[in-house]
Amino acid sequence: MTRYLLRRLAQAAFVVAGVVVLTFVVMRLVPGDPAVTYAGPRASAAELARTRAELGLDDTLPVQLWDYLSSLVQGDWGISLHTRQDVLGDISTAFPASLELVGTGVIIAVLVGIPLGVLAARFRGRPADGSIRITSMAGVSVPVFLLALFAQNVFATKLGWLPVAGEYDPSLDGTSPLHLYTNITAVDALITGNWPILGSTLAHLALPAAAIAAYPTGVVAQMTRAALIEESTQNHARLERALGFTRWQVLTRFSLRPALSPVLALLALVFAFSLVNAFLVEAIFNWPGLGRYAADSIRSSDAPAIAGVTIAIAFTYVVVNLLVDLAQAAIDPRVRIR
Amino acid sequence: MSWRIRSLALAAAVAVTVTGCSGGAVRKAASTSSTFVYSFNLNVVTDWDPATSYSNEIIAMQNVYESLTRYDTKSKKVEPRLATKWASSDGGKKWTFTLRDGVKFHTGTALTSSAAKAAIERTMKMKGGAAYIWDPVKSIETPDPQTLVFELKYAAPLDLVSSSGYASYIYDTKAPGGGDLKDYVAKGHDTGTGPYTVASWNKGQEAEVRLSQVKDYWDGWKGSHYTSVEFRNTPQVTTAWQQLQAGDVTYVHRLNPQLFAQAKGMKDLKTDSVPSFQNLMAFFNTEAGPLKDVKLRKAVQAAIDYNGLVSTLKGSGTAASGVVPTGLTGATPGLAGRQDTAQATRLLNEAGYGPGKKSLTLDLTYAQGDDDQQKFVTLLSSALKSLNVKLQAKPMQWDAQWDRAKSKDASKRQDVFVMYWYPDYPDAYSWFLNLFRSADPVNFNLTYLDDSAVDGEIDKLPELTATNRSAAEASYASLQRKLLVDQAVAAPLFVQQYQRAYSADVDGYTDDPAYPNVVFAHELTPAA
């Protein structure tokens, strides 16, 4: 297992390094002068020259790349041209909020998608299977922004059941100030026992997380169903049925565990896709996550911030893939020797 | 330890790393009673330093910091703020300001002429943002604690300068407890004199900035007031609109025309529509390319469908009469553009182009993602097409657009450059100095005009504004005729219209375009 872990870590490091170099090159190839963005549209020629020197833009491309890479390693991801703050600091503020949203969406997908898949497989060809397949197909097909706008309009604005937007009710800061430990509001509220903020955060989280969850839930349900049906055609399933186990028992006791392996692999892809989907949902629900930061950065041609977001997403994707591979190896030992 | 436990430990470590363990900071809050919630579509704060701040934070800082004077666009007069009276002498080269009694900075220090001098001198020394507004100042004297005397290098309207939305703040230059002021304010503190103080700054959060009342504010809190102000960052206009309807926010600074039309019909909301000081202009390349020919410049001017453009803006823009928007010294009626296709055809033909003659191709750059500029480009492209002129319009990011416009090789520059302009302080001089005065290297003069007679007239404007407003008005009018009618170096397209929507519970709101997007919250009355 250690050799497998080391091999996967080396592969992950290689991917992250590639993304960093590629991002830097693209950043520098885009036309325009980053100094103009930093110093402002009305900066004088002298101010621009000073800014260029300060940002190291007068150096040759290889020198800039080397400086960038060595700074990254030391935890210096550069200064955002838009917020004028440390990019890593900005990302560490925004990222936990995105993680909270996407994490909740994926948890919903696992908790809802897997049982739905099991049900569909158990009642294969019957109306329950048909309904689940149609619903999951809809979840996969409907664009997330449409779903988010629909949910916001119906459940927040028209019916008033849930908040329109935001992470939690800011007026609660006055009555129940929140101690931040992880920067994930729901987690911090939970571990500090701040129930008013926890309640408010969960209410604010419901609609955007449901919108995010639609796609992964559909995918997980379909994948679970397909994997279970395939497992049920295997010899061990026939044997278990011959030994007197019910179809339900065969599905849940013997077929589900091996069937979950491909579902887990899929979850890594789904997580990355959901992170990008979250950018749209964050914009609609004004969720203060990485999506909003990325949108602001793109709008203001903030190259260091765009690069930072790209690297953060690549890093997350690689880490999640790694974790899923490890989880897969735990479920199915054959993976470790592949 | 089994590998499963190690995997879990690794997962936990990664989770803690990526979420940036913050070690127990507390989110700060403002009082929840009587809070004015301002919904803004961008980050509010980029720079908290009153000397160099030159961005969106004006909407918060104008409630925290104050200047010597304030410009009232409605009355077109400079009003007292921290100075109660002022006078100029020596042909506009000497200005004396008398400071208000009993004003204290939020640090507890009293406002004196020495403190005001220190603030202005620090701003000048920092040379950031709009600090250039103090360029005319040669020296500042403080004969007594209430009097500030400015000696200028050349005559200038210092009452207008001291009303500027940027770089004119009077602040305590000493951070409480010592230390560097820049570091102190960068953490979200302030040293202003205004009715509110910065209570919290939650960078990157939805409720980004909160201000709380300064109980011993010099203008007092008699009557009903908002005791705190919250600035919320909501990029999506539709989300801000829904929050306004739900009562989660009090004020949305800019809606799109469709939502604004809806807001006008709702009884729980009030709306306000005011022309700004920001106008969109098309600049013609007078130095190189086909538009070097004045006939072709006039033909393009005549081809523009000004009224059609204003009508497609659906209320978010009004017709421009010349370069200077209404409300500023120099605004000149009778200079509004008018589409005249026959005239355009005649001028094109005289230059050897147009219908039945050679085809002409023009190159235009404009801001990527700006819907209003896109509307102009579509209308112009269609009008020119019927005149046998092909418009190659390229949407670009500002830095790339500007880079190209300033290219050393003049032949690589565009024929038409589209951009907005607004003044840093309420004076029309900004348009002429920056956009039409010759400059080497090129900065904002994207007509590339190099006319010493025009330069000479522009240089006289500050002195005229300081000493003889009616002569200044006449000079502005004559310059605009020369630039727009005789030489046709540019075409003012429209003046942006502010369209605000806010809760019907708010009384006393007025919009002053001299302070773009600023709500002076202390002047408002909340519902009981």
Side-chain angles (χ1 to χ4, degrees):
Chain A
M1 184 66 191
T2 311
R3 259 176 59 194
Y4 174 73
L5 179 65
L6 287 175
R7 198 173 74 229
R8 291 291 294 109
L9 277 173
Q11 285 168 349
F14 183 74
V15 171
V16 171
V19 169
V20 171
V21 173
L22 199 67
T23 306
F24 178 84
V25 173
V26 170
M27 209 164 76
R28 285 293 178 269
L29 288 181
V30 171
D33 184 352
V36 173
T37 312
Y38 188 81
R42 294 198 175 189
S44 65
E47 270 180 277
L48 281 177
R50 201 169 56 230
T51 306
R52 247 180 235 115
E54 198 182 306
L55 298 176
L57 297 169
D58 293 329
D59 296 331
T60 59
L61 201 64
V63 171
Q64 288 185 47
L65 176 60
W66 175 251
D67 285 349
Y68 186 67
L69 290 175
S70 47
S71 302
L72 269 185
V73 173
Q74 291 165 44
D76 174 6
W77 289 31
I79 301 291
S80 158
L81 304 178
H82 176 58
T83 66
R84 316 264 182 117
Q85 307 285 326
D86 173 38
V87 169
L88 192 59
D90 280 352
I91 289 175
S92 63
T93 306
F95 190 81
S98 289
L99 202 64
E100 182 176 32
L101 189 56
V102 177
T104 310
V106 172
I107 289 170
I108 293 172
V110 171
L111 294 181
V112 177
I114 293 176
L116 281 181
V118 174
L119 276 176
R122 169 65 187 84
F123 299 105
R124 187 184 174 191
R126 298 208 203 149
D129 179 28
S131 326
I132 291 169
R133 286 175 72 186
I134 289 168
T135 313
S136 57
M137 188 65 81
V140 172
S141 315
V142 178
V144 70
F145 67 88
L146 209 63
L147 208 59
L149 281 171
F150 175 78
Q152 190 184 49
N153 262 300
V154 174
F155 298 106
T157 308
K158 298 267 189 284
L159 299 172
W161 291 351
L162 289 160
V164 172
E167 199 180 12
Y168 67 100
D169 178 0
S171 68
L172 289 173
D173 279 335
T175 48
S176 320
L178 177 66
H179 290 262
L180 295 169
Y181 291 98
T182 65
N183 272 336
I184 299 176
T185 305
V187 172
D188 289 337
L190 185 68
I191 58 181
T192 57
N194 191 329
W195 311 124
I197 286 199
L198 180 64
S200 178
T201 305
L202 293 178
H204 281 77
L205 197 55
L207 291 178
I212 292 279
Y215 177 83
T217 306
V219 170
V220 166
Q222 286 183 357
M223 192 69 188
T224 307
R225 177 185 178 277
L228 279 176
I229 288 171
E230 199 191 325
E231 278 297 321
S232 65
T233 62
Q234 303 292 312
N235 287 335
H236 70 84
R238 286 196 206 101
L239 177 67
E240 285 142 13
R241 288 281 288 147
L243 287 171
F245 288 101
T246 64
R247 286 181 69 180
W248 189 252
Q249 283 172 324
V250 172
L251 269 179
T252 52
R253 272 200 207 173
F254 304 107
S255 301
L256 188 58
R257 191 170 152 139
L260 280 183
S261 183
V263 173
L264 270 174
L266 190 74
L267 268 180
L269 286 170
V270 161
F271 185 90
F273 187 80
S274 299
L275 200 58
V276 179
N277 260 348
F279 282 22
L280 297 167
V281 174
E282 282 177 12
I284 291 164
F285 286 97
N286 204 30
W287 194 263
L290 206 55
R292 204 173 73 179
Y293 182 66
D296 283 348
S297 308
I298 292 165
R299 197 164 33 199
S300 53
S301 307
D302 187 348
I306 296 168
V309 170
T310 311
I311 293 165
I313 289 173
F315 181 73
T316 310
Y317 187 44
V318 165
V319 167
V320 170
N321 259 303
L322 189 64
L323 291 176
V324 168
D325 283 354
L326 293 175
Q328 254 188 314
I331 291 171
D332 185 353
R334 288 171 300 174
V335 171
R336 279 178 258 166
I337 51 167
R338 268 180 212 158
Chain B
M1 188 162 62
S2 80
W3 65 269
R4 288 180 203 205
I5 294 171
R6 274 182 280 150
S7 300
L8 276 173
L10 173 71
V14 168
V16 169
T17 308
V18 296
T19 56
C21 206
S22 61
V26 182
R27 275 187 188 149
K28 292 185 212 158
S31 158
T32 52
S33 65
S34 188
T35 301
F36 183 86
V37 184
Y38 183 131
S39 177
F40 196 62
N41 65 330
L42 297 166
N43 287 329
V44 175
V45 178
T46 303
D47 181 3
W48 271 124
D49 193 321
T52 53
S53 154
Y54 201 25
S55 191
N56 304 326
E57 54 277 337
I58 184 178
I59 61 173
M61 287 175 83
Q62 279 289 341
N63 286 287
V64 172
Y65 292 95
E66 294 173 305
S67 313
L68 293 174
T69 52
R70 190 169 133 188
Y71 184 75
D72 184 338
T73 304
K74 270 193 186 143
S75 65
K76 289 175 79 174
K77 278 187 181 154
V78 177
E79 307 280 358
R81 211 172 182 189
L82 290 179
T84 50
K85 55 184 182 181
W86 54 93
S88 72
S89 56
D90 192 15
K93 287 176 74 177
K94 184 176 179 180
W95 287 79
T96 306
F97 289 79
T98 304
L99 297 181
R100 189 177 294 281
D101 267 332
V103 177
K104 271 189 181 173
F105 293 109
H106 300 160
T107 54
T109 311
L111 169 72
T112 61
S113 55
S114 306
K117 176 181 186 288
I120 295 168
E121 286 180 344
R122 179 178 178 274
T123 300
M124 290 165 72
K125 197 175 157 198
M126 303 271 290
K127 288 187 186 302
Y132 74 88
I133 63 169
W134 298 107
D135 278 355
V137 176
K138 186 163 73 182
S139 65
I140 306 172
E141 302 300 326
T142 53
D144 64 63
Q146 296 307 117
T147 310
L148 267 177
V149 181
F150 294 83
E151 293 282 352
L152 307 189
K153 294 175 220 160
Y154 47 86
L158 213 66
D159 54 344
L160 284 173
V161 169
S162 62
S163 306
S164 169
Y166 300 96
S168 68
Y169 301 121
I170 304 299
Y171 52 93
D172 190 352
T173 52
K174 295 180 186 71
D180 184 51
L181 180 66
K182 198 153 196 77
D183 289 344
Y184 179 75
V185 293
K187 288 175 186 143
H189 301 120
D190 73 272
T191 66
T193 57
Y196 300 93
T197 186
V198 181
S200 70
W201 173 42
N202 298 313
K203 184 168 68 80
Q205 295 297 314
E206 184 194 21
E208 189 185 349
V209 178
R210 292 193 183 98
L211 309 180
S212 59
Q213 74 175 137
V214 175
K215 294 222 165 101
D216 59 351
Y217 177 54
W218 58 264
D219 202 19
W221 294 91
K222 211 172 159 186
S224 184
H225 290 272
Y226 285 102
T227 52
S228 56
V229 186
E230 184 177 290
F231 293 92
R232 286 205 196 165
N233 176 356
T234 309
Q236 286 282 327
V237 69
T238 46
T239 306
W241 167 239
Q242 294 189 5
Q243 286 184 317
L244 180 68
Q245 291 177 89
D248 292 345
V249 302
T250 319
Y251 175 93
V252 178
H253 85 291
R254 189 167 170 82
L255 292 173
N256 62 36
Q258 291 75 21
L259 295 179
F260 187 72
Q262 276 189 53
K264 280 205 283 193
M266 297 181 73
K267 68 173 171 38
D268 293 340
L269 298 179
K270 287 179 182 172
T271 56
D272 192 35
S273 179
V274 179
S276 72
F277 286 162
Q278 180 164 334
N279 56 4
L280 184 71
M281 291 201 279
F283 299 92
F284 305 134
N285 186 342
T286 63
E287 192 189 17
L291 295 188
K292 205 174 167 184
D293 182 347
V294 69
K295 279 186 182 153
L296 291 179
R297 297 204 295 270
K298 286 184 177 177
V300 177
Q301 258 191 348
I304 296 170
D305 182 1
Y306 301 92
N307 292 337
L309 178 59
V310 169
S311 129
T312 63
L313 294 172
K314 294 189 167 64
S316 64
T318 55
S321 174
V323 169
V324 186
T326 307
L328 295 175
T329 301
T332 309
L335 286 176
R338 193 172 59 83
Q339 189 179 34
D340 186 341
T341 316
Q343 169 87 335
T345 306
R346 188 180 61 75
L347 287 163
L348 280 167
N349 282 168
E350 280 177 24
Y353 296 98
K357 297 211 171 183
K358 262 194 307 182
S359 169
L360 173 68
T361 301
L362 294 175
D363 190 57
L364 176 148
T365 62
Y366 68 104
Q368 200 166 43
D370 187 308
D371 291 346
D372 294 347
Q373 292 191 32
Q374 173 71 57
K375 282 172 189 159
F376 161 68
V377 168
T378 307
L379 283 174
L380 180 64
S381 181
S382 140
L384 289 178
K385 197 175 172 189
S386 66
L387 296 169
N388 197 22
V389 178
K390 187 181 174 196
L391 187 70
Q392 285 181 331
K394 198 170 179 192
M396 298 175 89
Q397 287 283 354
W398 167 254
D399 48 355
Q401 188 190 6
W402 201 35
D403 240 14
R404 185 179 165 196
K406 296 201 297 177
S407 167
K408 286 200 173 72
D409 181 353
S411 66
K412 286 187 179 161
R413 297 170 184 166
Q414 72 297 321
D415 299 315
V416 186
F417 190 103
V418 182
M419 76 165 181
Y420 293 101
W421 194 260
Y422 56 90
D424 289 323
Y425 64 93
D427 190 272
Y429 179 56
S430 172
W431 274 272
F432 296 84
L433 172 72
N434 292 289
L435 308 183
F436 301 114
R437 199 190 185 288
S438 62
D440 187 21
V442 172
N443 205 25
F444 287 109
N445 178 358
L446 301 169
T447 68
Y448 314 103
L449 182 69
D450 188 358
D451 184 327
S452 54
V454 168
D455 288 355
E457 280 189 59
I458 291 173
D459 291 344
K460 284 182 195 152
L461 291 170
E463 184 173 353
L464 280 178
T465 309
T467 56
N468 186 344
R469 291 275 164 114
S470 56
E473 296 270 12
S475 189
Y476 274 120
S478 135
L479 253 175
Q480 288 180 84
R481 284 195 192 92
K482 199 173 284 178
L483 291 165
L484 303 178
V485 181
D486 302 345
Q487 301 197 38
V489 301
L493 302 170
F494 65 83
V495 180
Q496 214 173 56
Q497 183 87 357
Y498 290 142
Q499 295 187 318
R500 326 288 197 187
Y502 55 100
S503 163
D505 292 343
V506 178
D507 279 336
Y509 174 71
T510 54
D511 201 322
D512 192 331
Y515 303 95
N517 303 320
V518 172
V519 175
F520 293 98
H522 180 258
E523 294 170 9
L524 305 178
T525 310

